[in-house]
Amino acid sequence: MTDVHQKLFPTTIIGSHPKPKWLNRVRNLNEEGEFSDERLQEAMDDAVRVVADEHERAGIDILGDGEMRREEMVEYFAHRIPGYDFNGPVRVWGNNYFEKPSVVDELGDPEPMLVDEFEFTRRAVSEGHGVKVPITGPYTLYDWSFDEVYGDKRELIMRLADIVNDEIRRLADAGAKYIQIDEPALSTRPEDIDLVVEATQRVVDGVTKEEHDNIERQIMHVCYGDYGAIYPRMLDIPVDQFSLEFVNQDFAHVEEFAEHDFDKEIGFGCVDIHDREVEAVGEIKSNIERAFGFVDPEQVWVNPDCGVKLLPRDVAFGKLENMSQAAEELREEYE
Ligand SMILES: [Zn+2]
């Protein structure tokens, strides 16, 4: 039996999906003490089933739980890693606040953080689909926290890399095939690319697709920044695939990428998550074809620029559905 990723242009998501309004309501009721933790858990389980089904109906091959159990990509892990604490929200932009965690003690080993959610999602997904597990990478965990203990950037990043590696080992042993290491902080701090190369070596140690029977892909997602500043050094990061945003940057880096041998797969961001207009199938097809400027069709996976959680739910669905249709039509043309 062939795996779903072995066809041309497999479709996937980056991670987050809009939460059903009722889930937010249940979470508020839980915080106010009106709903038990057990009820919140049940609501999150139900939301995962609904969203996994939404991904399937939209035609996504390698899907996920839409991060229904996570509020934010650093906070989720910081709540689970011993040695982190929270001192209250920090203003990030406009009236948006972020619970920026602090490292207040030497970091201990957490209990498994993602294995239960992976196993639940896998059971919720029907035959012929894969499940991708996003995990926040050590550089972003470091960069979006305060350090009150280590005082040595490299030491803290490497400690976090060991923690992330332990978790990926557990996921791989549980049967996870597709891991996505999220490092959005990387492209805003290109001067730290060497540290990210070194940290990622430790993150994937023992769980590369060559080393672990279950693993098919180690993927890194980077968004927001200037990829040109980290290219081609970026190609030394030991992952099989980069999933990157292209539409929102107006394909600015396609030509730059073509200047060197792009010897990995590309998860090609082909729909804009900042635009509430659902792109037409034809437009998405020509977006995807921009990738052939620096890679062959066999190297291309198809995904949105980034997680779609800030879009209205029907818009998010419409974008994923048209994206899948575009990939399907291209598959017929290129096979
Ligand atoms: Zn992103």
Side-chain angles (χ1 to χ4, degrees):
M1 199 183 83
T2 57
D3 269 310
V4 65
H5 67 264
Q6 286 168 307
K7 64 183 179 187
L8 268 185
F9 313 126
T11 52
T12 189
I13 40 83
I14 296 299
S16 71
H17 197 77
K19 290 193 173 74
K21 292 284 179 270
W22 52 261
L23 179 60
N24 295 331
R25 183 83 184 109
V26 172
R27 187 178 289 280
N28 291 343
L29 287 170
N30 174 257
E31 280 162 9
E32 290 159 14
E34 300 281 326
F35 253 33
S36 66
D37 290 348
E38 206 178 0
R39 287 281 172 263
L40 174 61
Q41 188 63 43
E42 183 184 343
M44 289 191 294
D45 287 352
D46 287 343
V48 169
R49 290 190 190 95
V50 167
V51 166
D53 182 61
E54 214 157 285
H55 284 162
E56 283 193 25
R57 282 187 292 115
I60 301 296
D61 297 314
I62 295 166
L63 46 84
D65 68 358
E67 301 183 0
M68 289 298 114
R69 303 174 198 280
R70 308 187 198 179
E71 287 301 288
E72 198 278 325
M73 63 183 294
V74 169
E75 190 182 343
Y76 182 87
F77 296 95
H79 273 298
R80 287 159 178 80
I81 300 171
Y84 268 105
D85 202 0
F86 289 84
N87 305 320
V90 175
R91 192 172 187 158
V92 281
W93 46 271
N95 280 321
N96 288 276
Y97 289 83
F98 162 57
E99 286 275 337
K100 189 168 178 175
S102 295
V103 174
V104 296
D105 204 346
E106 290 208 0
L107 298 180
D109 294 319
E111 294 293 311
M113 297 183 281
L114 301 175
V115 174
D116 286 351
E117 74 167 48
F118 162 69
E119 290 182 333
F120 183 92
T121 307
R122 189 175 50 179
R123 284 195 300 274
V125 164
S126 53
E127 203 65 29
H129 295 82
V131 173
K132 181 156 87 172
V133 185
I135 183 165
T136 305
Y139 185 74
T140 300
L141 289 173
Y142 156 80
D143 192 51
W144 294 3
S145 309
F146 296 111
D147 171 24
E148 298 174 12
V149 175
Y150 285 78
D152 179 316
K153 185 175 178 173
R154 184 183 168 279
E155 191 188 340
L156 176 51
I157 291 171
M158 291 305 152
R159 175 69 188 113
L160 286 163
D162 282 336
I163 290 170
V164 174
N165 176 252
D166 286 344
E167 190 63 23
I168 297 179
R169 284 172 185 260
R170 287 191 280 255
L171 285 164
D173 291 344
K177 292 179 177 181
Y178 312 102
I179 306 290
Q180 178 179 281
I181 306 152
D182 290 325
E183 288 286 22
L186 167 60
S187 63
T188 57
R189 302 207 191 284
E191 67 277 12
D192 280 338
I193 181 75
D194 290 340
L195 265 176
V196 175
V197 171
E198 187 186 1
T200 311
Q201 279 160 356
R202 201 172 286 186
V203 164
V204 301
D205 180 48
V207 282
T208 61
K209 70 178 191 289
E210 291 78 20
E211 291 170 298
H212 198 291
D213 286 346
N214 292 336
I215 293 291
E216 295 289 355
R217 292 294 186 280
Q218 292 288 352
I219 299 164
M220 182 172 285
H221 171 61
V222 185
C223 50
Y224 309 130
D226 177 12
Y227 305 132
I230 52 171
Y231 193 76
R233 176 68 168 133
M234 186 181 101
L235 295 173
D236 294 330
I237 296 173
V239 290
D240 306 299
Q241 179 182 134
F242 284 104
S243 57
L244 306 177
E245 66 173 36
F246 284 92
V247 185
N248 194 250
Q249 304 201 6
D250 201 20
F251 307 94
H253 301 290
V254 166
E255 282 176 24
E256 242 164 337
F257 285 173
E259 288 167 16
H260 300 269
D261 177 23
F262 196 99
D263 57 356
K264 297 180 188 294
E265 289 176 339
I266 185 77
F268 196 81
C270 62
V271 292
D272 192 349
I273 59 114
H274 298 287
D275 181 359
R276 292 183 170 208
E277 193 80 32
V278 175
E279 295 91 340
V281 173
E283 182 185 345
I284 302 174
K285 281 170 73 178
S286 48
N287 287 350
I288 297 168
E289 287 179 311
R290 302 289 289 265
F292 309 155
F294 66 97
V295 286
D296 295 328
E298 293 72 25
Q299 288 165 273
V300 177
W301 286 30
V302 169
N303 48 247
D305 270 359
C306 189
V308 296
K309 76 172 174 188
L310 296 177
L311 291 169
R313 200 166 151 195
D314 58 333
V315 173
F317 181 80
K319 282 179 184 260
L320 294 180
E321 190 176 40
N322 282 6
M323 185 184 88
S324 300
Q325 182 63 31
E328 178 61 34
E329 289 180 18
L330 283 178
R331 210 169 286 136
E332 280 161 20
E333 289 169 32
Y334 283 83
E335 248 161 18

